[in-house]
Amino acid sequence: MSIPFRERAFHRWLVGAFPPHRGELLPMGDDVAAVRVGRSILLLTTDALAEGTHFLPGSPAGLVGEAAVGASLSDLASKGGRPVAVLVDLLLPRASDPKWAQEVLLGAERSASRSGCHVVGGDTKSSPARAVVGTVVGEADLLPLPRRDSARPGDVLLHTGTVGRGGAAARALEGRRAPNRAVLAELLAIVPRLAEGRALAPFARAMIDTSDGLADGARRLAEASRVRVTVDVARLPWSPKLARGLGERERLSTALYGGDYELLASVPPARVARALAAVRKAGGSARPIGRVRRGRGAFLLETGGERPMPAAGWDPFAAPRRPVGKPGGRRRAILK
Amino acid sequence: MSIPFRERAFHRWLVGAFPPHRGELLPMGDDVAAVRVGRSILLLTTDALAEGTHFLPGSPAGLVGEAAVGASLSDLASKGGRPVAVLVDLLLPRASDPKWAQEVLLGAERSASRSGCHVVGGDTKSSPARAVVGTVVGEADLLPLPRRDSARPGDVLLHTGTVGRGGAAARALEGRRAPNRAVLAELLAIVPRLAEGRALAPFARAMIDTSDGLADGARRLAEASRVRVTVDVARLPWSPKLARGLGERERLSTALYGGDYELLASVPPARVARALAAVRKAGGSARPIGRVRRGRGAFLLETGGERPMPAAGWDPFAAPRRPVGKPGGRRRAILK
């Protein structure tokens, strides 16, 4: 029996089937698991990238390795974690050039060492299809951890960095039969906001990364926390990667649905100034882009007023057959 | 360019390309990574199982999940570790019955909870081919950790449990076009020797699990430690799963190359009695099956004298096209 696999329904099942046990500090539905070991709070997170879904046969192997680790480091950043060690699993066909595997691992190590840790182990196995799994073990310095389900009415929504980098990359790939290296590279270029995450964690009630786009992040935050999240379009920090030629609507749709791997934090108003100062001190940037209120769902505030955030983000199981890299696969269908 | 992928050559590259950094307590070539976190010694290990290589489309999904976690727990056991938490990554085709994924995860949780921990997180992604990655985080109580490269001349080789279970299962599968559930299940039935590993760790200089068979374990131990390892055939604890009808040579070849997931420990003679008593006290069984001496390579001691261990164990990248499940894929070719 072949049933289309739906990521969100599966997640709902997961949360119900795996209630947290003693010593587990985050629920199953979160992007990161947290357990106590001795006096330490251990953070565990893993991301799988598959050829055809998240990267293409022509994607530079080193960047695939960087992205597999970078995606997990970005999840770790959303809990304010410090990375400790990285594991990498490789699945690759029997007749594979060992250079591909080597470049993936060297890329993974580049990403790890930029963040102050190393690839310490992993596994390599034969499989009909290529895939790379990056698993990051990290540590948290303080509790409570910012969760996905802990945003509260009244909170201010802070966003690190810019919006639109991921969407711009996905757009550049669309319609190209043989995308060049620079375009493929841009899709996989993840800069995990670890310093910003550590700066925000003491002040943020909830935090999430925008690995599947800002719209998706806002929606997940709203859904998990049972609140209404409004993103103010006028306050979005546009990425310089967004082409200047784009119209306003085009620019917005590109920005909302690309994986930017920025952080979205829900911060009580009294702590906003300190949170922003901490991010600046850490060498990063963040700004308020919206509010959390009573209600449900994610909304956009535009000059004409508020409207519901148009549909969902990126569901890897519902994406079109032709992969476009990590983010943005459903953008056109969603915003048409 | 398509080059046949060779696991061992790749491992050699890995060991050279990833020298241990400060705080890493085991080299890259070992089955487990070890890092310090606070006052704890963290053990990290991961195993990927791919459809077509390690399990078949008809393999019961729950057992695939149990095996993915069991294989990593078995590695953890070889360091005397206590499991803390488990992550599971699933790669599965877009049009997949969600039940398969659910059963894998419930199987993974069965395996984890039998060993005193739980599945706390993971990732599920779309890929053309099914694969399951089980990652185990554990803790060690004491240093030094038994390594793969620390066996010394004079040591006695101890073996837990029995030999031949995995080989018998692989043999039962051979030549069957539609293997039944019981046969497929037996191949995936891993009982990680965690209690035995913890009992042996304070006494063992080196330790390894026989996930790829006793011959492979002995060979790896000898290679990494630069010693000569001799297995005494007369002392092998035969599994009752080995059919009685087998001739002596047939029985030996079946037993040497199946993945038994037992522990092989290299213990100084003065500590053997205490090591064996500790395993008994932990409710397990172990017995001396050989010796470590000056020299190189793995050998078999039979009534006719010593001879080199016939060839290698299971190299998943060199296995025949038709998968036979986890272990034993090259047995025939090796022993013909």
Side-chain angles (χ1 to χ4, degrees):
Chain A
M1 186 171 56
S2 171
I3 296 171
F5 192 89
R6 289 277 164 255
E7 199 189 14
R8 277 199 244 160
F10 187 69
H11 265 218
R12 273 194 295 274
W13 172 82
L14 259 183
V15 175
F18 289 79
H21 296 87
R22 207 163 61 89
E24 293 175 31
L25 303 168
L26 290 171
M28 189 62 146
D30 214 303
D31 286 318
V32 177
V35 291
R36 287 178 191 278
V37 171
R39 294 182 178 187
S40 306
I41 303 151
L42 220 60
L43 300 172
L44 308 172
T45 181
T46 180
D47 263 275
L49 306 187
E51 188 169 271
T53 307
H54 309 98
F55 60 93
L56 293 168
S59 298
L63 290 171
V64 173
E66 286 190 44
V69 174
S72 280
L73 287 170
S74 178
D75 284 327
L76 184 73
S78 74
K79 303 297 161 202
R82 265 181 304 112
V84 169
V86 171
L87 300 175
V88 179
D89 291 88
L90 297 179
L91 291 158
L92 59 168
R94 220 172 287 283
S96 283
D97 183 351
K99 264 203 139 165
W100 190 86
Q102 291 170 354
E103 281 174 21
V104 169
L105 285 173
L106 292 173
E109 173 63 18
R110 275 196 300 278
S111 177
S113 61
R114 270 199 304 265
S115 301
C117 65
H118 297 286
V119 175
V120 298
D123 190 23
T124 304
K125 291 284 172 65
S126 160
S127 167
R130 276 175 175 164
V132 182
V133 177
T135 300
V136 170
V137 176
E139 215 186 341
D141 292 323
L142 82 175
L143 294 179
L145 296 167
R147 300 160 59 116
R148 181 188 283 197
D149 61 2
S150 47
R152 292 291 168 265
D155 285 357
V156 174
L157 213 58
L158 302 188
H159 188 284
T160 61
T162 63
V163 297
R165 184 200 62 82
R171 172 176 288 270
L173 197 58
E174 273 173 17
R176 296 206 192 188
R177 284 199 171 274
N180 67 27
R181 201 188 140 93
V183 169
L184 289 167
E186 187 60 35
L187 267 172
L188 296 169
I190 298 170
V191 179
R193 299 302 191 187
L194 287 157
E196 292 86 342
R198 283 199 292 280
L200 287 167
F203 305 105
R205 251 203 280 254
M207 194 144 57
I208 191 169
D209 77 330
T210 60
S211 50
D212 299 322
L214 173 57
D216 181 76
R219 186 190 53 71
R220 284 181 195 243
L221 205 62
E223 201 172 284
S225 298
R226 306 170 70 82
V227 291
R228 177 179 173 122
V229 170
T230 302
V231 170
D232 184 348
V233 173
R235 313 196 71 163
L236 290 180
W238 302 105
S239 165
K241 305 266 181 184
L242 280 168
R244 286 182 190 276
L246 291 180
E248 202 176 307
R249 298 227 64 73
E250 195 87 337
R251 189 175 67 162
L252 180 60
S253 70
T254 303
L256 285 178
Y257 295 99
D260 281 326
Y261 293 90
E262 296 290 350
L263 298 177
L264 198 58
S266 185
V267 179
R271 301 188 207 151
V272 166
R274 279 182 292 156
L276 293 175
V279 173
R280 269 196 307 275
K281 201 178 158 193
S285 71
R287 67 154 78 175
I289 64 154
R291 296 302 293 253
V292 178
R293 287 180 292 167
R294 279 180 211 287
R296 293 285 186 279
F299 290 78
L300 276 181
L301 174 61
E302 298 181 280
T303 42
E306 266 187 48
R307 64 169 172 130
M309 190 73 78
W314 158 261
D315 181 340
F317 290 93
R321 198 59 214 160
R322 189 176 99 52
V324 295
K326 181 78 184 132
R330 290 180 72 205
R331 190 163 53 77
R332 281 233 166 125
I334 293 159
L335 290 186
K336 72 172 179 278
Chain B
M1 187 171 53
S2 170
I3 296 170
F5 192 88
R6 288 277 163 254
E7 197 187 17
R8 279 200 242 159
F10 187 69
H11 266 218
R12 273 194 295 273
W13 171 81
L14 259 182
V15 174
F18 288 79
H21 296 86
R22 207 162 62 90
E24 293 174 31
L25 303 168
L26 289 171
M28 190 61 147
D30 213 303
D31 286 318
V32 177
V35 291
R36 288 179 191 276
V37 172
R39 294 184 178 185
S40 306
I41 303 151
L42 221 59
L43 300 172
L44 308 172
T45 180
T46 181
D47 263 276
L49 305 187
E51 189 169 270
T53 307
H54 309 97
F55 60 92
L56 295 168
S59 298
L63 290 171
V64 173
E66 286 190 45
V69 174
S72 280
L73 286 170
S74 179
D75 285 326
L76 184 73
S78 75
K79 303 296 161 203
R82 266 181 302 111
V84 168
V86 171
L87 300 174
V88 178
D89 291 89
L90 297 179
L91 291 158
L92 59 169
R94 222 171 284 284
S96 283
D97 183 351
K99 263 202 139 166
W100 191 87
Q102 291 170 355
E103 281 173 21
V104 169
L105 286 173
L106 293 172
E109 173 63 18
R110 274 196 301 278
S111 176
S113 61
R114 270 199 302 266
S115 300
C117 66
H118 297 285
V119 175
V120 299
D123 190 23
T124 303
K125 291 282 173 64
S126 161
S127 168
R130 276 175 174 165
V132 182
V133 177
T135 300
V136 170
V137 176
E139 215 185 339
D141 292 323
L142 81 175
L143 294 179
L145 296 167
R147 299 160 60 118
R148 182 189 282 198
D149 61 2
S150 47
R152 291 291 167 266
D155 285 356
V156 175
L157 213 58
L158 302 187
H159 188 282
T160 61
T162 64
V163 297
R165 184 200 63 81
R171 171 176 288 270
L173 198 58
E174 273 174 15
R176 296 207 192 189
R177 284 201 170 273
N180 67 27
R181 201 187 141 91
V183 169
L184 290 167
E186 186 61 34
L187 268 173
L188 296 168
I190 298 170
V191 179
R193 299 301 191 189
L194 287 157
E196 292 85 343
R198 283 198 292 280
L200 287 167
F203 306 105
R205 252 202 279 251
M207 194 146 56
I208 192 170
D209 77 330
T210 60
S211 50
D212 299 322
L214 172 56
D216 181 76
R219 186 190 52 71
R220 286 181 194 242
L221 205 62
E223 201 172 285
S225 298
R226 305 170 70 84
V227 291
R228 176 179 174 122
V229 170
T230 303
V231 170
D232 184 347
V233 173
R235 313 196 72 162
L236 289 180
W238 302 104
S239 164
K241 305 267 181 185
L242 280 168
R244 284 178 194 279
L246 292 180
E248 202 175 306
R249 298 227 64 74
E250 196 86 337
R251 189 175 67 162
L252 180 60
S253 71
T254 303
L256 285 179
Y257 295 99
D260 280 326
Y261 294 90
E262 296 290 351
L263 298 177
L264 197 58
S266 184
V267 179
R271 302 188 205 150
V272 166
R274 280 182 292 157
L276 293 175
V279 173
R280 270 195 306 276
K281 200 177 158 195
S285 72
R287 68 155 79 175
I289 64 155
R291 297 301 293 253
V292 178
R293 287 180 292 168
R294 280 180 211 286
R296 294 284 187 280
F299 290 78
L300 275 182
L301 175 62
E302 298 181 278
T303 43
E306 268 189 45
R307 63 169 172 129
M309 190 74 77
W314 159 259
D315 181 342
F317 290 94
R321 199 59 214 159
R322 188 174 99 53
V324 295
K326 180 80 182 130
R330 290 181 72 206
R331 190 162 53 76
R332 281 235 168 120
I334 293 159
L335 289 187
K336 72 170 177 282

